[in-house]
Coordinates of all heavy atoms in Angstrom, one line a residue:
M1 N 80.8 159.8 224.2 CA 79.4 159.4 224.1 C 79.3 158.6 222.9 O 79.6 159.0 221.8 CB 78.6 160.7 224.0 CG 77.2 160.5 224.0 SD 76.3 161.9 224.5 CE 75.6 162.4 222.9
S2 N 78.8 157.4 223.1 CA 78.6 156.5 222.0 C 77.1 156.4 221.6 O 76.2 156.5 222.4 CB 79.1 155.1 222.3 OG 78.3 154.5 223.3
V3 N 76.9 156.1 220.4 CA 75.5 156.0 219.9 C 75.2 154.5 219.6 O 76.0 153.8 218.9 CB 75.3 156.8 218.6 CG1 73.9 156.6 218.0 CG2 75.6 158.3 218.8
N4 N 74.1 154.0 220.1 CA 73.8 152.6 219.9 C 72.9 152.5 218.7 O 71.8 153.0 218.6 CB 73.1 152.1 221.1 CG 72.8 150.6 221.0 OD1 73.1 149.9 220.1 ND2 72.2 150.0 222.1
N5 N 73.4 151.9 217.6 CA 72.6 151.8 216.4 C 71.9 150.4 216.2 O 71.7 150.0 215.1 CB 73.5 152.0 215.2 CG 74.0 153.4 215.0 OD1 73.3 154.3 215.5 ND2 75.2 153.6 214.5
S6 N 71.5 149.8 217.3 CA 70.8 148.6 217.2 C 69.4 148.8 216.7 O 68.8 149.8 217.1 CB 70.8 147.9 218.6 OG 70.1 148.6 219.5
T7 N 68.9 147.9 215.9 CA 67.6 148.1 215.4 C 66.6 147.2 216.1 O 67.0 146.1 216.6 CB 67.6 147.7 213.9 OG1 68.0 146.3 213.8 CG2 68.4 148.6 213.0
I8 N 65.4 147.7 216.3 CA 64.4 146.9 216.9 C 63.6 146.1 215.9 O 63.1 146.7 214.9 CB 63.5 147.9 217.7 CG1 64.3 148.6 218.7 CG2 62.3 147.1 218.3 CD1 63.5 149.7 219.4
P9 N 63.5 144.8 216.0 CA 62.8 144.1 215.0 C 61.3 144.4 215.0 O 60.7 144.6 216.1 CB 63.0 142.6 215.4 CG 63.4 142.7 216.8 CD 64.0 144.0 217.1
A10 N 60.7 144.5 213.8 CA 59.3 144.8 213.7 C 58.5 143.5 214.0 O 58.9 142.4 213.6 CB 59.0 145.3 212.3
I11 N 57.5 143.7 214.7 CA 56.6 142.6 215.1 C 55.4 142.6 214.1 O 54.6 143.6 214.1 CB 56.1 142.6 216.5 CG1 57.3 142.6 217.5 CG2 55.1 141.5 216.8 CD1 57.0 142.8 218.9
E12 N 55.2 141.6 213.3 CA 54.1 141.6 212.4 C 52.9 140.9 213.1 O 53.0 139.9 213.8 CB 54.5 140.8 211.1 CG 55.5 141.5 210.3 CD 55.8 140.8 209.0 OE1 54.9 140.1 208.5 OE2 56.9 141.0 208.5
P13 N 51.7 141.5 212.8 CA 50.5 140.8 213.4 C 50.2 139.5 212.8 O 50.5 139.2 211.6 CB 49.4 141.8 213.1 CG 49.9 142.6 212.0 CD 51.4 142.6 212.0
A14 N 49.7 138.6 213.6 CA 49.4 137.2 213.2 C 48.2 137.3 212.2 O 47.2 138.0 212.4 CB 49.0 136.3 214.3
P15 N 48.3 136.5 211.1 CA 47.1 136.5 210.2 C 45.9 135.8 210.8 O 46.0 135.0 211.7 CB 47.7 135.7 209.0 CG 48.8 134.9 209.5 CD 49.4 135.7 210.7
L16 N 44.8 136.2 210.3 CA 43.5 135.6 210.8 C 43.3 134.2 210.1 O 43.7 134.0 209.0 CB 42.3 136.5 210.4 CG 42.2 137.8 211.2 CD1 41.0 138.6 210.6 CD2 42.0 137.5 212.7
A17 N 42.6 133.4 210.8 CA 42.1 132.1 210.3 C 41.0 132.4 209.3 O 40.3 133.4 209.4 CB 41.6 131.2 211.4
P18 N 40.9 131.5 208.3 CA 39.8 131.7 207.2 C 38.4 131.9 207.8 O 37.7 132.7 207.3 CB 39.9 130.5 206.4 CG 41.3 130.0 206.5 CD 41.7 130.3 207.9
G19 N 38.1 131.1 208.8 CA 36.8 131.3 209.4 C 36.6 132.7 210.1 O 35.5 133.3 210.0
D20 N 37.7 133.1 210.7 CA 37.6 134.5 211.4 C 37.5 135.6 210.3 O 36.9 136.6 210.5 CB 38.8 134.7 212.2 CG 38.8 133.8 213.5 OD1 37.7 133.3 213.9 OD2 39.9 133.6 214.1
E21 N 38.2 135.4 209.2 CA 38.1 136.4 208.1 C 36.7 136.5 207.6 O 36.2 137.6 207.4 CB 39.0 135.9 206.9 CG 40.5 136.2 207.2 CD 41.3 135.9 205.9 OE1 40.9 134.9 205.2 OE2 42.3 136.5 205.7
R22 N 36.0 135.4 207.4 CA 34.6 135.4 206.9 C 33.7 136.1 207.9 O 32.8 136.8 207.6 CB 34.2 134.0 206.6 CG 34.8 133.5 205.3 CD 34.1 132.2 204.8 NE 34.2 131.1 205.8 CZ 35.2 130.2 205.9 NH1 36.2 130.3 205.0 NH2 35.2 129.3 206.8
T23 N 34.0 135.8 209.2 CA 33.1 136.4 210.3 C 33.3 137.9 210.3 O 32.3 138.6 210.4 CB 33.5 135.7 211.6 OG1 33.3 134.3 211.6 CG2 32.7 136.4 212.7
W24 N 34.5 138.4 210.3 CA 34.7 139.8 210.4 C 34.3 140.5 209.1 O 33.8 141.6 209.1 CB 36.2 140.1 210.7 CG 36.4 140.0 212.1 CD1 37.2 139.0 212.7 CD2 36.0 140.8 213.2 NE1 37.1 139.1 214.1 CE2 36.4 140.2 214.4 CE3 35.2 141.9 213.2 CZ2 36.1 140.8 215.6 CZ3 34.9 142.5 214.5 CH2 35.4 141.9 215.6
G25 N 34.4 139.9 207.9 CA 33.9 140.4 206.7 C 32.3 140.5 206.7 O 31.8 141.6 206.3
M26 N 31.7 139.5 207.3 CA 30.2 139.6 207.5 C 29.8 140.7 208.4 O 28.9 141.4 208.2 CB 29.7 138.2 207.9 CG 28.2 138.2 208.2 SD 27.7 136.7 209.0 CE 28.5 136.8 210.6
L27 N 30.5 140.8 209.5 CA 30.2 141.8 210.5 C 30.4 143.2 210.0 O 29.7 144.2 210.3 CB 31.1 141.6 211.8 CG 30.7 140.4 212.6 CD1 31.7 140.3 213.8 CD2 29.3 140.6 213.2
A28 N 31.4 143.4 209.1 CA 31.6 144.7 208.5 C 30.4 145.0 207.6 O 29.9 146.2 207.6 CB 32.9 144.7 207.6
H29 N 29.8 144.1 206.9 CA 28.7 144.3 206.1 C 27.4 144.5 206.9 O 26.5 145.3 206.6 CB 28.5 143.2 205.0 CG 29.4 143.3 203.9 ND1 29.3 144.3 202.9 CD2 30.5 142.6 203.5 CE1 30.3 144.2 202.1 NE2 31.0 143.1 202.4
L30 N 27.3 143.8 208.0 CA 26.2 143.9 208.9 C 26.2 145.2 209.7 O 25.2 145.5 210.4 CB 26.1 142.7 209.8 CG 25.6 141.4 209.2 CD1 25.7 140.3 210.2 CD2 24.3 141.5 208.6
S31 N 27.3 145.9 209.7 CA 27.4 147.2 210.4 C 26.4 148.2 209.9 O 26.1 149.2 210.5 CB 28.8 147.8 210.3 OG 29.1 148.2 209.0
T32 N 25.8 147.9 208.7 CA 24.8 148.8 208.2 C 23.6 148.8 209.1 O 22.8 149.8 209.1 CB 24.3 148.4 206.8 OG1 23.9 147.1 206.8 CG2 25.5 148.5 205.8
L33 N 23.3 147.7 209.8 CA 22.2 147.7 210.7 C 22.3 148.6 211.9 O 21.3 149.0 212.5 CB 22.0 146.2 211.2 CG 21.7 145.2 210.2 CD1 21.7 143.8 210.8 CD2 20.4 145.5 209.4
I34 N 23.6 149.1 212.2 CA 23.8 150.0 213.3 C 23.1 151.4 212.9 O 22.7 152.1 213.7 CB 25.3 150.2 213.6 CG1 25.8 148.9 214.1 CG2 25.5 151.3 214.5 CD1 27.3 148.9 214.3
N35 N 23.0 151.6 211.6 CA 22.4 152.9 211.1 C 20.9 152.9 211.5 O 20.3 154.0 211.6 CB 22.5 153.0 209.6 CG 23.9 153.3 209.2 OD1 24.7 153.8 209.9 ND2 24.3 152.8 208.0
L36 N 20.3 151.8 211.7 CA 18.9 151.8 212.1 C 18.7 152.4 213.5 O 17.7 153.0 213.8 CB 18.3 150.4 212.1 CG 18.2 149.7 210.7 CD1 17.8 148.2 210.9 CD2 17.3 150.4 209.8
V37 N 19.7 152.2 214.3 CA 19.6 152.7 215.7 C 20.2 154.1 215.9 O 19.6 155.0 216.5 CB 20.4 151.7 216.7 CG1 20.3 152.2 218.1 CG2 19.8 150.3 216.6
T38 N 21.4 154.3 215.3 CA 22.1 155.6 215.5 C 21.9 156.5 214.4 O 22.0 157.7 214.6 CB 23.6 155.3 215.7 OG1 24.1 154.8 214.6 CG2 23.8 154.4 216.9
G39 N 21.7 156.0 213.2 CA 21.6 156.9 212.0 C 22.9 157.2 211.3 O 22.9 157.6 210.2
F40 N 24.0 157.0 212.0 CA 25.3 157.3 211.4 C 26.5 156.4 211.9 O 27.6 156.6 211.4 CB 25.7 158.8 211.8 CG 25.9 159.0 213.3 CD1 27.1 158.7 213.9 CD2 24.8 159.4 214.0 CE1 27.2 158.9 215.3 CE2 24.9 159.6 215.4 CZ 26.1 159.3 216.0
G41 N 26.2 155.4 212.7 CA 27.3 154.6 213.3 C 27.8 153.5 212.4 O 28.9 153.0 212.6
G42 N 27.1 153.2 211.3 CA 27.5 152.1 210.5 C 28.9 152.3 209.8 O 29.8 151.5 209.9
P43 N 29.1 153.5 209.1 CA 30.4 153.7 208.5 C 31.5 153.8 209.6 O 32.6 153.4 209.3 CB 30.2 155.1 207.8 CG 28.8 155.2 207.7 CD 28.1 154.5 208.8
I44 N 31.2 154.3 210.7 CA 32.2 154.3 211.8 C 32.6 152.9 212.2 O 33.8 152.7 212.4 CB 31.7 155.2 213.0 CG1 31.5 156.6 212.5 CG2 32.7 155.1 214.2 CD1 30.8 157.5 213.5
A45 N 31.7 152.0 212.4 CA 32.0 150.7 212.8 C 32.8 150.0 211.7 O 33.8 149.3 212.0 CB 30.7 149.9 213.0
A46 N 32.4 150.2 210.4 CA 33.2 149.6 209.3 C 34.6 150.1 209.3 O 35.6 149.4 209.0 CB 32.5 149.8 208.0
L47 N 34.8 151.4 209.6 CA 36.1 152.0 209.6 C 36.9 151.5 210.7 O 38.1 151.2 210.5 CB 36.0 153.6 209.7 CG 37.3 154.3 209.8 CD1 38.1 154.1 208.6 CD2 37.1 155.8 210.1
I48 N 36.3 151.2 211.9 CA 37.1 150.6 213.0 C 37.5 149.2 212.6 O 38.7 148.9 212.9 CB 36.2 150.7 214.3 CG1 36.1 152.1 214.7 CG2 36.8 149.8 215.4 CD1 35.0 152.3 215.9
I49 N 36.6 148.4 212.0 CA 37.0 147.1 211.6 C 38.2 147.1 210.6 O 39.1 146.4 210.7 CB 35.8 146.3 211.0 CG1 34.8 146.1 212.1 CG2 36.2 145.0 210.4 CD1 33.4 145.5 211.6
Y50 N 38.1 148.1 209.7 CA 39.2 148.2 208.7 C 40.5 148.5 209.4 O 41.5 147.9 209.1 CB 38.8 149.3 207.7 CG 40.0 149.7 206.8 CD1 40.4 148.8 205.8 CD2 40.7 150.8 207.0 CE1 41.5 149.1 205.0 CE2 41.8 151.1 206.2 CZ 42.2 150.3 205.2 OH 43.3 150.6 204.4
L51 N 40.5 149.5 210.3 CA 41.7 150.0 210.9 C 42.3 148.9 211.8 O 43.5 148.7 211.9 CB 41.5 151.2 211.8 CG 41.2 152.5 210.9 CD1 40.8 153.6 211.9 CD2 42.3 152.8 210.0
V52 N 41.5 148.1 212.4 CA 42.0 147.0 213.3 C 42.6 145.8 212.5 O 43.6 145.3 212.9 CB 40.9 146.5 214.3 CG1 41.3 145.3 215.0 CG2 40.5 147.6 215.3
Y53 N 41.9 145.5 211.4 CA 42.3 144.3 210.7 C 43.0 144.5 209.4 O 43.3 143.5 208.7 CB 41.0 143.4 210.5 CG 40.5 142.8 211.8 CD1 39.4 143.3 212.4 CD2 41.2 141.7 212.4 CE1 39.0 142.7 213.6 CE2 40.8 141.2 213.5 CZ 39.7 141.7 214.1 OH 39.3 141.2 215.3
K54 N 43.3 145.7 209.0 CA 43.9 146.0 207.7 C 45.3 145.3 207.5 O 45.6 144.9 206.4 CB 44.0 147.5 207.4 CG 45.0 148.1 208.3 CD 45.1 149.6 208.0 CE 46.1 150.2 209.0 NZ 46.5 151.5 208.6
D55 N 46.0 145.1 208.6 CA 47.3 144.5 208.5 C 47.3 143.0 208.6 O 48.3 142.3 208.3 CB 48.3 145.1 209.5 CG 48.6 146.5 209.3 OD1 48.6 147.0 208.1 OD2 48.8 147.3 210.3
R56 N 46.2 142.5 209.1 CA 46.1 141.1 209.4 C 45.4 140.3 208.3 O 45.6 139.1 208.1 CB 45.3 140.8 210.7 CG 46.1 141.4 211.9 CD 45.4 141.1 213.2 NE 45.4 139.7 213.5 CZ 44.6 139.2 214.4 NH1 43.9 140.0 215.2 NH2 44.7 137.9 214.7
S57 N 44.5 141.0 207.5 CA 43.7 140.3 206.5 C 43.3 141.2 205.4 O 42.6 142.2 205.6 CB 42.5 139.6 207.1 OG 41.6 139.1 206.1
R58 N 43.7 141.0 204.2 CA 43.3 141.8 203.0 C 41.8 141.6 202.7 O 41.1 142.5 202.3 CB 44.1 141.4 201.8 CG 45.5 141.9 201.8 CD 46.3 141.6 200.6 NE 45.6 142.2 199.4 CZ 46.0 142.1 198.2 NH1 47.0 141.4 197.9 NH2 45.3 142.7 197.2
F59 N 41.3 140.4 203.0 CA 39.9 140.1 202.8 C 39.0 140.9 203.7 O 38.1 141.5 203.2 CB 39.7 138.6 203.1 CG 38.2 138.1 202.9 CD1 37.8 137.8 201.7 CD2 37.4 138.0 204.0 CE1 36.5 137.3 201.5 CE2 36.1 137.6 203.9 CZ 35.6 137.3 202.6
V60 N 39.3 141.0 205.0 CA 38.5 141.8 205.9 C 38.7 143.3 205.6 O 37.7 144.0 205.6 CB 39.0 141.5 207.4 CG1 38.2 142.4 208.3 CG2 38.7 140.1 207.7
A61 N 39.9 143.7 205.2 CA 40.1 145.1 204.9 C 39.2 145.5 203.7 O 38.6 146.6 203.6 CB 41.5 145.4 204.6
Y62 N 39.2 144.6 202.7 CA 38.4 144.9 201.4 C 37.0 145.0 201.8 O 36.3 145.9 201.3 CB 38.7 143.8 200.4 CG 37.8 143.8 199.2 CD1 38.1 144.8 198.2 CD2 36.7 143.0 199.1 CE1 37.3 144.8 197.1 CE2 35.9 143.1 198.0 CZ 36.2 144.0 197.0 OH 35.4 144.0 195.9
H63 N 36.4 144.1 202.5 CA 35.0 144.1 202.8 C 34.6 145.2 203.7 O 33.5 145.8 203.6 CB 34.5 142.7 203.4 CG 34.5 141.7 202.3 ND1 33.4 141.6 201.4 CD2 35.3 140.7 201.9 CE1 33.6 140.6 200.6 NE2 34.8 140.1 200.8
A64 N 35.5 145.6 204.7 CA 35.2 146.7 205.5 C 35.1 148.0 204.7 O 34.2 148.8 204.9 CB 36.2 146.8 206.7
L65 N 36.1 148.2 203.8 CA 36.1 149.4 203.0 C 34.9 149.4 202.1 O 34.3 150.5 201.8 CB 37.4 149.5 202.2 CG 38.6 150.0 202.9 CD1 39.8 150.0 202.0 CD2 38.3 151.4 203.4
Q66 N 34.5 148.3 201.5 CA 33.4 148.1 200.6 C 32.1 148.5 201.4 O 31.3 149.3 200.9 CB 33.3 146.7 200.1 CG 32.5 146.5 198.9 CD 32.6 145.1 198.4 OE1 32.7 144.2 199.2 NE2 32.6 144.9 197.1
S67 N 32.0 148.1 202.6 CA 30.8 148.4 203.4 C 30.8 149.9 203.8 O 29.7 150.5 203.7 CB 30.8 147.5 204.7 OG 29.8 147.9 205.5
M68 N 31.9 150.4 204.1 CA 31.9 151.8 204.5 C 31.6 152.7 203.3 O 30.8 153.7 203.4 CB 33.3 152.2 205.0 CG 33.4 153.6 205.5 SD 35.0 154.0 206.2 CE 36.1 153.9 204.8
I69 N 32.1 152.4 202.2 CA 31.9 153.2 201.0 C 30.4 153.1 200.6 O 29.7 154.1 200.2 CB 32.8 152.9 199.8 CG1 34.2 153.3 200.1 CG2 32.3 153.4 198.5 CD1 35.3 152.8 199.2
F70 N 29.8 151.9 200.7 CA 28.4 151.7 200.3 C 27.5 152.6 201.3 O 26.5 153.2 200.8 CB 28.1 150.3 200.5 CG 26.6 150.0 200.3 CD1 26.0 150.0 199.0 CD2 25.8 149.7 201.3 CE1 24.7 149.7 198.8 CE2 24.4 149.4 201.1 CZ 23.9 149.5 199.9
Q71 N 27.9 152.6 202.5 CA 27.1 153.4 203.5 C 27.2 154.9 203.4 O 26.3 155.6 203.7 CB 27.4 153.0 204.9 CG 27.1 151.5 205.2 CD 27.5 151.1 206.6 OE1 27.1 151.7 207.6 NE2 28.3 150.1 206.7
L72 N 28.3 155.3 202.9 CA 28.5 156.8 202.7 C 27.8 157.2 201.5 O 27.2 158.3 201.4 CB 30.0 157.1 202.6 CG 30.8 156.9 203.8 CD1 32.3 157.2 203.5 CD2 30.3 157.8 204.9

């Protein structure tokens, strides 16, 4: 019985374009408006944006966390 020690190469996510970074950063901050309708959805939306884009853009991750902490 032989063991195959081949490694699987890691696939890195593609970085965002600067215009897309600004758009998602703005949407993270505008997630506070969701609180007007639901009362609690803003931090959840900011957290989702953070989790989706944390590996693709430090700018978006920073602004999403900033928005979430502000709302909490």
Side-chain angles (χ1 to χ4, degrees):
M1 185 158 106
S2 66
V3 178
N4 187 359
N5 289 332
S6 64
T7 60
I8 300 172
I11 300 172
E12 294 186 23
L16 288 176
D20 291 340
E21 284 184 327
R22 288 190 300 270
T23 300
W24 281 107
M26 176 188 64
L27 289 174
H29 284 290
L30 288 177
S31 69
T32 58
L33 298 176
I34 295 174
N35 291 330
L36 296 174
V37 178
T38 64
F40 61 87
I44 295 170
L47 177 63
I48 290 170
I49 291 171
Y50 170 76
L51 292 174
V52 170
Y53 290 105
K54 68 179 177 166
D55 294 330
R56 295 180 68 189
S57 170
R58 288 182 61 182
F59 180 83
V60 175
Y62 172 78
H63 284 281
L65 281 178
Q66 202 174 35
S67 175
M68 184 178 65
I69 290 169
F70 176 76
Q71 294 176 58
L72 292 176

